[in-house]
Amino acid sequence: MAAASGVSMSILEYLGGEEGNRCGYCKSEAGNISHGMWAHSLTVDDYQDLIDRGWRRSGKYVYKPLMSETCCPQYTIRLSAPNYQPSKSHKKVFKRMQKYLQSGEMSHSKNDGISVEPMDSQADSPVSFKVSITDHTEISGEELKPVATEIEESEKKQGAKEMPSNIDINEDQADLIQTINTKPNTSTLKPGSGPDASKPPCRKAKDIRKERHLQKLRLKKADQTVPTEEPNIVPTNAKPKANSNKPIEEFLTVADPESAAHRLEFTRFLCDSPLESETRPDGLFCGYGSFHQQYWLDGKIIAVGVIDILPYCVSSVYLYYDPDYSFLSLGVYSALREIAFTRELQTKAVNLRYYYMGFYIFTCPKMRYKGQYKPSELLCSESYTWVPIEKCLPLLERSKYTRFNSNPKEGDKDRLTELGRVRVLHKRTVMPYSVYKKRHRGPSDETVVRQYASLVGQTCAQRMLLYRS
């Protein structure tokens, strides 16, 4: 939904949701307790503020765990991308990928200390809900109007024709496609036409290793018989000095030799979501909104990552991949790619410096791997402030739900203070809750509206539109 000036607005339908649902982490049948909203449309600014208050989207459903009551408290976790340095295990993932691309060698070792958990791709969905939703984004601009206009008209003449508002619904979302580095090979073969003559024949990794070994022996023999005066050249696979720390970009920009056994390609394109895509004059080539990141190997998609690009962060939503390539630790590799992408965007938009990894779940051991990306912070669910994860872990050892902020006097700075200023969309008219309350016929819904506004905060409550039937 957009105003005539082109400013988008969010329309949400609050669903409550204090009843327990099945938990995808501990498998409790009714232990997962959260609040939920259906986002008919959502601006990137509003969603940024919502995730900084513990909300997270699953498609168009936006939910916030009830931390003190849910079986597996889910803490929002973020990484400072500019300060990230690859850990030893993360470097192993890079080297494994590079080794496979260059020589076709596969490693299936389970004792290399590498976590293979991708961002939320392996865990069962923690969201369980049943809703029947009407799409309110179909309201036209001529039908939607601010309450001030309606009041003025009704005073002049009861039943007068409605004037068009300066607010309308934006239904256009372009399927923009951007290719990074190289375009994927989309050529396909017709059934029965045989192998593609433009590509080299398939070869076993074992045969490739033998050939490389023989080639090294021949080169070594030639060096012994024909001395040269070439200067000493440090091989590209030489180990760096102990005190040197390579940035993540160096691992991602290693050039593949012409004889590489495989080619990995990487593309991004816009996908449909409640987020309203937008561009700003800060220079981001891709704009803001929701995107898919495609990973192509030899002309075949092997993984797709879903991300949201917001004003202050890249938020990782989901990853799915071809299980035949699980030996490449694609979950970890895609996360490292997304961190590098965040760093790239930060050179154009200085405020975009964080990589959000979803939820950190201490009670679920397989979801603790997110804490391996450092420096990371967890969101305090009471004061909505960020605390280094190293200070949070001792507290979580004592209790699965805890307050991270050590200052007991520091509360929610954006707490609800004026219920009457909450914006409501009622009968195609935008109005503050104070006016809606006078017009509304039937049982009072003040408790529901107050709960919604308390959860989203005063700022979002005054900016977003809460749909009321």
Side-chain angles (χ1 to χ4, degrees), residues 17-316:
E18 294 183 358
E19 296 180 0
N21 296 303
R22 186 178 185 276
C23 177
Y25 302 110
C26 69
K27 311 304 179 185
S28 169
E29 289 301 323
N32 181 21
I33 304 175
S34 63
H35 301 279
M37 303 185 292
W38 188 263
H40 297 282
S41 63
L42 192 59
T43 68
V44 293
D45 287 299
D46 288 337
Y47 187 51
Q48 177 72 70
D49 288 345
L50 288 176
I51 63 174
D52 285 338
R53 293 183 65 84
W55 292 85
R56 181 164 169 79
R57 77 174 185 89
S58 177
K60 290 190 175 184
Y61 183 72
V62 188
Y63 64 100
K64 175 181 169 64
L66 188 57
M67 301 292 283
S68 60
E69 297 183 24
T70 191
C71 55
C72 296
Q74 302 163 47
Y75 299 93
T76 303
I77 182 171
R78 74 179 185 182
L79 167 76
S80 175
N83 299 322
Y84 169 75
Q85 287 292 340
S87 65
K88 184 177 179 181
S89 63
H90 294 162
K91 291 176 183 178
K92 287 183 179 180
V93 173
F94 282 125
K95 293 176 181 178
R96 173 183 291 179
M97 175 65 76
Q98 198 64 33
K99 186 176 182 180
Y100 177 71
L101 295 178
Q102 292 180 350
S103 64
E105 293 187 31
M106 297 181 291
S107 173
H108 296 275
S109 173
K110 296 182 180 180
N111 300 317
D112 55 8
I114 299 174
S115 171
V116 297
E117 289 290 349
M119 293 301 164
D120 293 349
S121 67
Q122 292 297 309
D124 293 338
S125 173
V127 184
S128 177
F129 58 95
K130 295 180 180 179
V131 293
S132 178
I133 298 296
T134 303
D135 187 0
H136 300 288
T137 60
E138 297 300 324
I139 303 173
S140 65
E142 288 72 15
E143 297 172 311
L144 185 62
K145 58 180 181 177
V147 67
T149 303
E150 186 187 36
I151 294 175
E152 183 179 350
E153 292 171 351
S154 61
E155 290 176 351
K156 291 181 178 179
K157 184 178 181 180
Q158 195 173 21
K161 185 181 288 187
E162 297 180 355
M163 292 182 63
S165 166
N166 64 338
I167 302 176
D168 58 13
I169 303 297
N170 181 10
E171 302 174 39
D172 298 324
Q173 285 191 333
D175 292 329
L176 303 178
I177 298 179
Q178 291 197 8
T179 302
I180 307 302
N181 295 333
T182 57
K183 294 183 179 179
N185 183 357
T186 57
S187 62
T188 57
L189 296 177
K190 296 180 179 179
S193 62
D196 189 349
S198 64
K199 295 183 179 180
C202 297
R203 303 172 62 195
K204 292 183 178 180
K206 183 178 180 180
D207 295 333
I208 296 174
R209 289 195 299 270
K210 286 182 178 180
E211 182 178 332
R212 289 171 62 87
H213 180 65
L214 293 174
Q215 186 177 7
K216 288 180 181 179
L217 291 178
R218 287 195 296 268
L219 291 174
K220 185 177 180 180
K221 185 176 181 180
D223 290 339
Q224 292 174 351
T225 56
V226 184
T228 64
E229 296 182 359
E230 290 292 328
N232 291 331
I233 300 176
V234 179
T236 56
N237 60 352
K239 293 183 179 180
K241 294 181 180 179
N243 295 329
S244 65
N245 290 320
K246 283 187 178 182
I248 188 173
E249 288 79 7
E250 287 194 28
F251 291 96
L252 293 173
T253 55
V254 176
D256 292 331
E258 294 183 0
S259 60
H262 299 280
R263 298 287 181 184
L264 179 68
E265 298 169 344
F266 188 54
T267 65
R268 305 180 180 100
F269 69 90
L270 191 67
C271 67
D272 186 26
S273 89
L275 295 186
E276 297 285 344
S277 60
E278 64 175 87
T279 56
R280 298 180 179 182
D282 54 19
L284 284 189
F285 61 91
C286 55
Y288 298 85
S290 296
F291 297 80
H292 279 167
Q293 293 187 314
Q294 299 177 335
Y295 296 82
W296 291 73
L297 183 65
D298 298 334
K300 173 186 176 183
I301 293 181
I302 62 171
V304 177
V306 183
I307 63 170
D308 295 329
I309 300 179
L310 306 176
Y312 300 106
C313 74
V314 169
S315 174
S316 181

